[in-house]
């Protein structure tokens, strides 16, 4: 029997044919259309071979790692990098990795009410000094930070990207200081209010038990208390997506993992409950907010209309449980027009201070305002 | 025209990334990790079914690159190719299965040409897409490891036969042989399968 160069088997392993099936372009299209025109009897063979090539490409590529596995591998690689960097540091002292935004007293920023999003685009830069508002901090290994609020009051934690998290008593947050790659990630148990610095390139992910909450830059509340069966998420500004990451590693084996992710998108004031038992996500009725205490940070709108600065700082102190020190004579009587919803604590301070022409410095849970203030 | 331009661009990026890594640029390194770790892992699972070993091996490949960055070769045509070769070596060291001598049965190829066209026509006409997809899945769970490896490198990773030969450390002829064997088992396999399903369908009708 004569060997047929365009038999099914031959086509499936023909380089030109594979290239055409996987990446068709005008040139190869013409080439294979021409072939079919000249060999009309091969139409079925070509169709069938095409399908096999696609199936082979798809089925041999089914074992990509689950996100958790990717994360695990990256963490390992990253920690070796850090170890090495640490060693290098010992030999030649360099400034520490994480540096904080110190706000230069640049030209006064005119605050327009409502267009908060404008400030979101101010990127945190790597200048200034590292500050931390949290009281309890344990550093297990290099770069891995755990915060536990064992006080009776809210505790504000500022993340390396400038985002702020107000932890309620009993809440626990962990994150890595060095967050390079394509996302920012933290793990939460307990209740916390997040105000996230906008960064379209790096989505911000909060993991709480089996639930992942993903945002680009916005504010929202998560209640993932250990004692509750459900985890609740409520959005204050912007858009948030939540999805279950339960049993992800099992599903990975079955292929087509995309279909297994239940992802729900939440807009302003919307909220969901996620069942820790069955991984189901339920949208909750709007109306009653998750936090009933009107003085809670998640309920504040920080709307200031010709408001004396002393009152502005009072509101900030109460919401974030920090102490703001400033010269009452110089600054206290200046007034402010602004709506500061959605952006993190340090960004709010930055906006206020820019408007007043003063500088701020954050140290522990103390904020010090310096400068001459409004003229 | 288009094609040459694309190739040029891609090479440039690879070279730039590689140069970045050699200089100690962390962002170049992380983007290489982001670009390749997932497919690299996928390839690793074809070499070893223990996912922990595969994870370790993928990690180690990247850790090695970072640690030995200053000593990396200056000229690289394809980072991907480099990574795959490195991973294969890693995994075989990890599971103590470094390649032994190849035994290539070249005569077997000829055997399959007998009765070629006949079985093929039956195949094409009786199959549905669903059956085809089942065939391929079944095929991939039954084939010898090296044939699956070759199929993965060819269809999913889209390496050329020459590159596959170098990654697997065999001759191009052997690669072609692996592929051929794999595809012919697909056929003999599917033949029985399609007959079975035909019978099944008939049973349903009556």
């Amino acid at each position: 029997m004569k060997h047929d160069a365009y038999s099914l088997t031959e086509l499936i392993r023909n380089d030109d044919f594979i290239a055409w099936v996987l990446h068709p372009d005008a040139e190869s299209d013409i080439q294979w259309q021409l072939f079919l025109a000249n060999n009309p009897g091969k139409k079925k063979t070509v169709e069938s071979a095409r399908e096999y090539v696609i199936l082979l490409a798809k089925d041999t590529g089914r074992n990509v790692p689950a996100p958790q596995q990717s994360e695990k591998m990256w963490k390992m690689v990253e920690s070796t990098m850090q170890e090495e960097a640490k060693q290098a540091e010992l030999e030649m002292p360099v400034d520490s990795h994480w540096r904080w935004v110190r706000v230069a007293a640049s030209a006064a920023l005119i605050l327009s009410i409502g267009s908060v999003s404008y400030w979101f685009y101010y990127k945190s830069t790597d200048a200034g000094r590292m500050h931390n508002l949290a009281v309890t901090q344990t550093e297990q290994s290099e770069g891995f930070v755990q915060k536990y609020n064992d006080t009776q009051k809210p505790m504000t934690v500022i993340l390396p990207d400038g985002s702020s998290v107000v932890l309620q008593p009993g809440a626990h947050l962990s994150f890595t200081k060095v967050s390079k790659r394509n996302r920012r990630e933290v793990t939460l148990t307990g209740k916390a209010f997040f105000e996230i610095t906008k960064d379209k390139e790096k989505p911000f992910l909060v993991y709480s038990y089996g639930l992942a909450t993903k945002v680009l830059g916005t504010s929202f509340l998560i209640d993932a208390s250990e004692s509750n069966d459900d985890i609740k998420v409520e959005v204050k500004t912007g858009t948030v997506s939540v999805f279950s990451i339960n049993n992800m590693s099992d599903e990975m084996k079955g292929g087509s993992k995309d279909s297994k992710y239940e992802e729900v998108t939440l807009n302003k004031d919307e909220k969901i409950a996620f069942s820790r038992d069955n991984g189901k996500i339920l949208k909750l009725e709007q109306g009653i907010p998750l936090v009933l205490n009107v003085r809670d940070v998640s309920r504040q709108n920080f709307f200031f209309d010709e408001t004396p600065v002393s009152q502005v700082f009072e509101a900030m102190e109460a919401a974030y449980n920090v102490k703001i020190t400033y010269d009452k004579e110089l600054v206290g009587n200046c007034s402010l027009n602004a709506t500061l919803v959605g952006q993190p604590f340090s960004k709010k301070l930055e906006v206020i201070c820019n408007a007043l022409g003063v500088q701020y410095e954050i140290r522990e849970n103390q904020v010090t305002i310096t400068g001459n203030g409004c003229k | 025209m288009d094609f040459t331009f694309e190739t040029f661009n891609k090479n440039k990026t690879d070279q730039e990334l590689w140069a970045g890594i050699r200089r100690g640029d962390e962002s170049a390194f992380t983007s290489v990790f982001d670009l390749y770790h997932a497919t690299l892992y996928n390839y690793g699972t074809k070499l070893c079914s223990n996912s922990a070993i595969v994870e370790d091996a993928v990690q180690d490949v990247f850790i090695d690159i970072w640690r030995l960055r200053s000593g990396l070769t200056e000229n690289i045509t394809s980072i991907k190719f480099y990574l795959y070769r490195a991973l294969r070596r890693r995994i075989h060291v990890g599971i103590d299965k470094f390649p032994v001598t190849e035994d290539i049965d070249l005569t077997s190829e000829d055997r399959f040409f007998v009765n070629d066209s006949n079985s093929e026509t039956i195949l094409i006409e009786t199959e549905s897409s669903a059956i085809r997809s089942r065939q391929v899945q079944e095929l991939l769970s039954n084939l010898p490891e090296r044939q699956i490896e070759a199929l993965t490198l060819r269809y999913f990773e889209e390496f050329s036969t020459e590159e596959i030969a170098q990654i697997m450390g065999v001759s191009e002829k052997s690669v072609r042989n692996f592929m051929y064997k794999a595809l012919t088992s697909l056929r003999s396999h599917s033949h029985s399968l399609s007959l079975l399903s035909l019978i099944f369908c008939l049973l349903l009708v009556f």
Side-chain angles (χ1 to χ4, degrees):
Chain A
M1 192 150 292
K2 227 188 131 224
H3 179 54
D4 178 3
Y6 296 103
S7 69
L8 183 60
T9 324
E10 291 306 310
L11 276 177
I12 296 174
R13 58 189 192 139
N14 175 311
D15 288 341
D16 286 342
F17 185 76
I18 297 171
W20 173 59
V21 171
L22 298 177
H23 311 283
D25 59 28
E27 207 180 317
S28 57
D29 264 346
I30 292 170
Q31 187 199 325
W32 286 99
Q33 292 310 332
L34 208 68
F35 168 78
L36 282 173
N38 292 328
N39 306 274
K42 284 288 180 191
K43 194 166 179 294
K44 272 187 177 170
T45 318
V46 166
E47 250 328 294
S48 166
R50 218 179 86 86
E51 233 177 277
Y52 277 121
V53 168
I54 292 169
L55 282 169
L56 283 165
K58 222 167 67 185
D59 282 3
T60 51
R62 278 198 198 280
N63 295 6
V64 292
Q68 289 153 323
Q69 285 177 291
S70 291
E71 200 49 37
K72 207 166 117 198
M73 290 187 271
W74 174 248
K75 287 262 162 68
M76 280 303 297
V77 175
E78 198 181 35
S79 66
T80 359
M81 288 168 77
Q82 284 164 4
E83 220 132 87
E84 195 210 54
K86 219 162 123 192
Q87 296 227 309
E89 234 170 87
L90 288 176
E91 285 151 29
M92 185 178 52
V94 241
D95 289 319
S96 92
H97 244 74
W98 280 105
R99 331 199 113 227
W100 274 100
V101 192
R102 211 192 22 216
V103 177
S106 54
L109 189 70
I110 297 159
L111 305 182
S112 59
I113 294 169
S115 65
V116 187
S117 59
Y118 177 77
W119 297 301
F120 284 166
Y121 288 95
Y122 272 66
K123 285 255 168 72
S124 306
T125 56
D126 280 359
R129 217 183 294 156
M130 165 85 186
H131 297 288
N132 242 315
L133 281 185
V135 192
T136 322
Q137 168 173 347
T138 339
E139 289 205 19
Q140 286 192 327
S141 63
E142 178 69 12
F144 187 70
V145 185
Q146 300 212 50
K147 310 268 185 184
Y148 177 64
N149 185 2
D150 55 359
T151 68
Q152 295 305 309
K153 286 181 171 170
M155 174 202 283
T156 300
V157 177
I158 297 184
L159 300 177
D161 69 337
S163 301
S164 58
V165 185
V166 182
L167 296 178
Q168 293 302 317
H172 179 271
L173 184 80
S174 58
F175 57 95
T176 49
K177 269 204 249 169
V178 187
S179 67
K180 288 261 159 63
R181 294 173 71 209
N182 47 6
R183 56 180 176 263
R184 301 167 280 172
E185 289 174 310
V186 301
T187 307
L188 170 81
T189 57
K191 197 189 274 190
F193 181 64
F194 291 81
E195 288 166 314
I196 302 306
T197 308
K198 197 150 201 155
D199 186 349
K200 280 189 182 140
E201 307 287 296
K202 284 185 168 191
F204 188 97
L205 285 139
V206 185
Y207 298 106
S208 14
Y209 299 104
L211 183 77
T213 307
K214 186 173 94 180
V215 303
L216 295 172
T218 179
S219 58
F220 55 97
L221 183 94
I222 297 182
D223 182 356
S225 306
E226 212 183 340
S227 50
N228 296 352
D229 291 336
D230 291 345
I231 298 167
K232 292 184 177 124
V233 179
E234 180 181 62
V235 174
K236 186 162 171 78
T237 59
T239 312
V240 164
S241 63
V242 289
F243 46 95
S244 162
I245 50 169
N246 269 357
N247 310 321
M248 206 147 63
S249 33
D250 296 344
E251 279 159 15
M252 176 206 109
K253 295 195 181 89
S256 68
K257 56 188 164 77
D258 298 330
S259 58
K260 302 276 170 70
Y261 288 88
E262 192 191 354
E263 186 164 342
V264 177
T265 305
L266 298 177
N267 295 309
K268 186 179 183 318
D269 292 331
E270 291 185 329
K271 46 184 169 288
I272 57 104
F274 166 78
S275 163
R276 277 161 66 184
D277 282 342
N278 60 21
K280 284 266 182 309
I281 296 172
L282 205 74
K283 276 215 178 192
L284 297 177
E285 288 279 312
Q286 292 190 32
I288 307 158
L290 283 185
V291 173
L292 295 172
N293 178 3
V294 289
R295 291 186 54 99
D296 187 85
V297 60
S298 65
R299 302 285 300 272
Q300 302 307 310
N301 283 320
F302 298 105
F303 171 74
F304 304 118
D305 181 16
E306 293 293 323
T307 311
V309 164
S310 54
Q311 284 179 32
V312 174
F313 285 152
E314 258 171 52
M316 294 280 284
E317 283 180 325
Y320 291 97
N321 189 28
V322 292
K323 181 92 191 82
I324 302 177
T325 317
Y326 61 99
D327 189 327
K328 291 197 170 62
E329 306 247 314
L330 277 174
V331 185
N333 293 325
C334 302
S335 60
L336 187 74
N337 292 328
T339 303
L340 303 175
V341 179
Q343 69 277 70
F345 174 72
S346 53
K347 200 63 67 183
K348 288 190 172 100
L349 263 183
E350 187 181 328
V351 168
I352 295 168
C353 292
N354 269 328
L356 300 175
V358 296
Q359 293 90 54
Y360 75 91
E361 198 180 12
I362 308 173
R363 197 186 292 271
E364 297 297 308
N365 56 347
Q366 291 273 342
V367 179
T368 313
I369 308 284
T370 50
N372 290 329
C374 50
K375 279 139 224 157
Chain B
M1 275 295 270
D2 259 346
F3 179 67
T4 39
F5 178 71
E6 235 177 33
T7 329
F8 171 73
N9 237 347
K10 194 185 161 280
N11 282 344
K12 199 173 152 221
T13 327
D14 260 19
Q15 247 120 48
E16 276 172 357
L17 286 172
W18 198 247
I21 292 173
R22 294 183 67 229
R23 277 197 312 270
D25 176 357
E26 291 187 13
S27 70
F29 179 71
T30 50
S31 39
V32 168
F33 181 90
D34 281 344
L35 275 171
Y36 297 114
H37 84 275
T39 51
L40 201 56
Y41 175 91
N42 177 69
Y43 172 53
T45 61
K46 317 289 174 186
L47 303 170
C48 168
S49 54
N50 182 334
S51 66
I53 292 179
V54 178
E55 276 177 26
D56 283 352
V58 171
Q59 264 157 228
D60 289 346
V61 165
F62 284 102
I63 289 172
D64 276 356
I65 290 179
W66 185 249
R67 241 194 315 236
L68 308 171
R69 59 185 180 273
S70 52
L72 291 174
T73 164
E74 203 170 323
N75 294 310
I76 191 159
T77 31
S78 162
I79 292 180
K80 188 177 168 183
F81 176 68
Y82 178 98
L83 292 172
Y84 280 69
R85 236 174 23 165
L87 182 77
R88 192 174 200 278
R89 240 174 287 145
R90 265 279 164 197
I91 286 184
H92 282 156
V93 168
I95 57 180
D96 202 20
K97 205 178 92 180
F98 211 71
V100 274
T101 43
E102 298 302 320
D103 53 320
I104 307 142
D105 183 8
L106 285 173
T107 47
S108 62
E109 183 153 336
D110 307 48
R111 227 172 355 134
F112 287 106
F113 285 115
V114 185
N115 219 1
D116 201 13
S117 56
N118 264 346
S119 57
E120 196 161 67
T121 29
I122 297 166
L123 198 74
I124 297 163
E125 278 164 17
T126 52
E127 273 167 50
S128 73
S129 299
I131 293 172
R132 264 189 212 118
S133 130
R134 200 142 34 95
Q135 274 170 23
V136 172
Q137 271 174 26
E138 203 148 307
L139 173 81
L140 291 176
S141 52
N142 290 321
L143 279 184
E145 199 178 83
R146 310 184 126 237
Q147 292 180 22
I148 293 184
E149 184 184 355
L151 288 177
T152 308
L153 290 170
R154 185 67 194 94
Y155 293 100
F156 181 67
E157 310 294 357
E158 293 184 63
F159 282 113
S160 69
T161 307
E162 192 191 344
E163 287 171 315
I164 297 171
Q166 288 182 42
I167 292 170
M168 293 179 71
V170 297
S171 68
E172 287 183 44
K173 213 168 192 175
S174 312
V175 175
R176 278 193 283 272
N177 196 45
F178 287 142
M179 302 277 291
Y180 188 81
K181 275 186 179 167
L183 295 179
T184 41
S185 359
L186 173 73
R187 262 196 9 214
S188 44
H189 216 87
S190 43
H191 189 50
S192 56
L193 234 172
S194 56
L195 259 182
L196 260 177
S197 53
L198 198 75
I199 294 165
F200 185 67
C201 288
L202 286 172
L203 281 175
L204 276 183
V205 170
F206 297 108

